[in-house]
Amino acid sequence: MDEVVEISSNPTTPRPVSDAPSPAISSPPSQYHSPSLSRSPLLTTDDLTQTDITNKTPKASLTPRFITPLGSPIMRALHLTKLDPQDAWLPITESRNGNVYYAAFHTLCSGIGIQALILPVAFTILGWTWGIISLTLAFIWQLYTLYLLVEMHESIETGLRYSRYLQLFSATFGDKLTKLLAGFPILYLSAGTNVALIIIGGSTSKTFFQILCGVTCTAKPPTPVEWFLLFTSAAVLLSQLPNLNSIAGVSLIGAITAIGYCTLIWVISVAEGRLPTVSYKTVHANTQIAQVFSVLNALGIIAFAFRGHNLVLEIQATMPSSEKHPSRVPMWRGVKFAYLLVAMCLFPLAIGGYWAYGQMIPPNGGMLTALYAFHGRDTSQFILGLTSLFVIISALSSFQIYGMPIFDVMESVYTRRKKQACPWWLRATIRAMFGYGCFFVAVAIPFLGSLAGLVGGIALPVTLAYPCLMWLKIKKPKMYSTMWWLNWGLGVLGLALSAVLITAGIYVIIDTGIQANFFKPQ
């Protein structure tokens, strides 16, 4: 693969100006800088006046600036560029103190979640052989595109760091295609995932209360809507942490608890043995066309299990980068470690869950519902309660990292107009509005989990197709070379597969129906 020379990056904010006149702030020629959310080009000399510097400058960052020596050939070759001060005001790029450990925590927290628990449902349609093959190929494919995104984060040609997925897509294909092709999938992967987390977190909180209370408990439990509200309030309170680096500890806790509940669920299921009436015969629809769409919907479920690519560039943006120590090196190390653990969770869940339950795996809730339904009486209440608690904590943690890009976009509207950072009260209000907005959607559409196949098809290009096409546009590999054929093939296949999966998801919903219990969470 093409090797990109990484150069210094750490867009710190300009220091406060003294009374003495000072020149316009310019970065070392070897530094990378993130473009603003408005996609304006790097600031020109006239864009930042002395008054702007004095009155509109954010607080200085404590992150050290890495400067290439003046004698560097790259230093002499590149032209001076200007800092974009918005980066120091926004949650994604406010802090550049990240490291390989933070990258691993964030990647693991965003790369594994409740969607993994429904993988055995796909196996009921695909069967053993094709289920394992499809899961393995999807894992390798998404890991490859993850590598491409890490490599494309910094560009020596433009001197920019693309700190957000939409920024990279927009710089590659333009604003119009970004709004048309990437806007909605990215929005769903952030906001839609948080809606699903509220549904899962609220429902599991209800189950956790029942386990603690016991069969003979006479206490009146909260209603499902109240459980949703309690979970949302906790998530909103936790979302007041200012930036992506500040939630590294939250992501660590989320990663540990996600590994914990995934491991507990598949270990308990396998240890209890197969159900007496288990069957591994694949589900066949009444007609051939219905069977084809069922298979495609199963592939959509597998695709849905691999989400999180919309956060990779944001996570890498929290790390410093220099010519000798480019951010792609520690980022890729963190990604490899994280996805080793992801594989250790997903494959046992899918294979072990299908072995234990076969065709009896519940389509809604998957392994978590199966654990309560089939082993609620013969499993220790402590283990069941611990599993439920891990699910709740993991959902709370994942809410923060998936909400951060939305907070970043909402705050950028203010910073772009006012040319200053959001005050604390406005930041708190924005995050509370987003959290309770997700709560309203969760109450209105509590059956969102039933749309996993359809959602997987919608979000699939972000994970499997767009990175390949962006690589072709940005890196321009030699025509008809291995990289050229590989990325064209995967990019086109990903787009075609996405269109087919969306069609299949809609057909399955129409054919089998869903329990559309609007405003009636269970």
Side-chain angles (χ1 to χ4, degrees):
M1 297 183 182
D2 297 341
E3 196 70 19
V4 180
V5 180
E6 318 293 351
I7 42 188
S8 175
S9 125
N10 204 11
T12 56
T13 42
R15 296 182 179 178
V17 179
S18 61
D19 294 334
S22 60
I25 297 175
S26 62
S27 67
S30 60
Q31 269 196 327
Y32 281 122
H33 310 290
S34 298
S36 67
L37 289 181
S38 61
R39 281 200 73 248
S40 59
L42 291 177
L43 302 177
T44 61
T45 307
D46 298 333
D47 290 332
L48 199 59
T49 63
Q50 182 68 34
T51 304
D52 289 331
I53 297 173
T54 305
N55 299 330
K56 305 295 185 179
T57 303
K59 295 181 180 179
S61 171
L62 298 178
T63 307
R65 178 178 294 181
F66 296 85
I67 303 178
T68 304
L70 293 177
S72 167
I74 300 177
M75 185 79 168
R76 294 192 297 267
L78 298 179
H79 298 289
L80 285 173
T81 58
K82 301 296 303 248
L83 286 170
D84 187 344
Q86 275 202 62
D87 278 339
W89 296 326
L90 298 175
I92 298 297
T93 48
E94 189 175 54
S95 172
R96 300 274 196 181
N97 295 321
N99 53 46
V100 63
Y101 303 106
Y102 287 11
F105 302 159
H106 290 316
T107 304
L108 187 55
C109 186
S110 62
I112 188 172
I114 297 299
Q115 76 284 351
L117 299 180
I118 61 174
L119 282 173
V121 177
F123 276 54
T124 62
I125 300 171
L126 299 174
W128 279 114
T129 303
W130 286 109
I132 295 175
I133 291 175
S134 300
L135 183 60
T136 303
L137 291 178
F139 181 83
I140 296 173
W141 190 350
Q142 61 87 33
L143 192 60
Y144 169 71
T145 55
L146 197 56
Y147 169 80
L148 297 183
L149 289 173
V150 171
E151 289 289 324
M152 288 188 290
H153 176 78
E154 296 163 327
S155 171
I156 190 173
E157 290 81 9
T158 60
L160 297 175
R161 290 184 71 176
Y162 297 104
S163 301
R164 298 156 185 91
Y165 194 106
L166 285 178
Q167 284 179 347
L168 179 60
F169 195 94
S170 182
T172 307
F173 299 112
D175 288 337
K176 291 184 178 179
L177 284 179
T178 299
K179 295 176 181 178
L180 181 64
L181 300 178
F184 177 74
I186 293 294
L187 176 64
Y188 178 81
L189 285 173
S190 292
T193 298
N194 279 352
V195 172
L197 289 172
I198 291 176
I199 296 173
I200 293 295
S203 302
T204 309
S205 298
K206 175 183 175 182
T207 303
F208 182 63
F209 176 84
Q210 293 172 345
I211 293 173
L212 290 182
C213 197
V215 180
T216 59
C217 180
T218 57
K220 182 180 179 181
T223 64
V225 174
E226 291 171 341
W227 281 120
F228 283 19
L229 182 60
L230 287 172
F231 179 89
T232 303
S233 299
V236 168
L237 182 63
L238 198 57
S239 71
Q240 301 308 315
L241 292 171
N243 55 61
L244 192 54
N245 259 344
S246 67
I247 65 169
V250 176
S251 291
L252 173 60
I253 295 173
I256 293 173
T257 51
I259 295 172
Y261 74 72
C262 287
T263 303
L264 282 173
I265 290 174
W266 76 259
V267 167
I268 293 173
S269 300
V270 172
E272 293 292 340
R274 292 184 296 179
L275 297 180
T277 57
V278 68
S279 171
Y280 303 119
K281 292 182 179 179
T282 57
V283 175
H284 290 285
N286 297 328
T287 63
Q288 187 174 3
I289 186 65
Q291 179 63 24
V292 171
F293 280 131
S294 296
V295 170
L296 293 173
N297 190 59
L299 294 177
I301 293 174
I302 292 178
F304 184 55
F306 298 107
R307 89 282 189 257
H309 281 47
N310 62 308
L311 297 172
V312 173
L313 297 175
E314 284 81 351
I315 294 170
Q316 193 172 351
T318 65
M319 308 173 73
S321 186
S322 67
E323 184 180 3
K324 293 184 178 180
H325 304 285
S327 64
R328 64 178 175 83
V329 176
M331 182 65 190
W332 183 238
R333 286 172 53 200
V335 166
K336 287 189 294 184
F337 175 75
Y339 271 83
L340 174 63
L341 296 179
V342 168
M344 293 172 61
C345 292
L346 296 190
F347 283 89
L349 268 174
I351 298 173
Y354 186 55
W355 176 85
Y357 305 114
Q359 298 299 328
M360 300 179 69
I361 189 79
N364 294 327
M367 292 288 286
L368 187 61
T369 303
L371 179 68
Y372 296 139
F374 300 123
H375 302 299
R377 296 182 178 180
D378 53 12
T379 303
S380 166
Q381 294 299 297
F382 172 78
I383 297 297
L384 292 177
L386 184 63
T387 302
S388 301
L389 182 62
F390 280 174
V391 171
I392 297 168
I393 295 175
S394 177
L396 279 173
S397 303
S398 298
F399 187 97
Q400 310 311 316
I401 192 168
Y402 274 94
M404 200 60 71
I406 300 295
F407 303 153
D408 191 86
V409 170
M410 295 173 73
E411 290 183 27
S412 72
V413 177
Y414 178 88
T415 60
R416 190 166 60 246
R417 293 181 179 179
K418 298 296 185 179
K419 307 301 180 186
Q420 63 182 9
C422 280
W424 68 267
W425 59 267
L426 180 58
R427 172 172 282 187
T429 302
I430 287 173
R431 300 184 180 195
M433 289 175 58
F434 170 75
Y436 290 110
C438 290
F439 161 75
F440 176 80
V441 177
V443 173
I445 315 176
F447 54 89
L448 192 64
S450 304
L451 309 177
L454 174 61
V455 171
I458 294 174
L460 184 143
V462 174
T463 302
L464 302 182
Y466 294 158
C468 300
L469 300 177
M470 288 190 289
W471 180 272
L472 290 168
K473 182 76 171 179
I474 294 175
K475 299 300 182 180
K476 296 180 174 59
K478 184 179 179 181
M479 190 173 294
Y480 307 124
S481 64
T482 302
M483 284 297 293
W484 188 87
W485 281 112
L486 178 62
N487 285 286
W488 266 118
L490 293 180
V492 173
L493 178 61
L495 291 178
L497 188 59
S498 173
V500 173
L501 292 184
I502 292 173
T503 304
I506 295 174
Y507 177 87
V508 169
I509 292 173
I510 296 174
D511 184 56
T512 62
I514 56 174
Q515 294 181 352
N517 48 331
F518 293 101
F519 294 97
K520 294 181 181 180
Q522 301 298 318

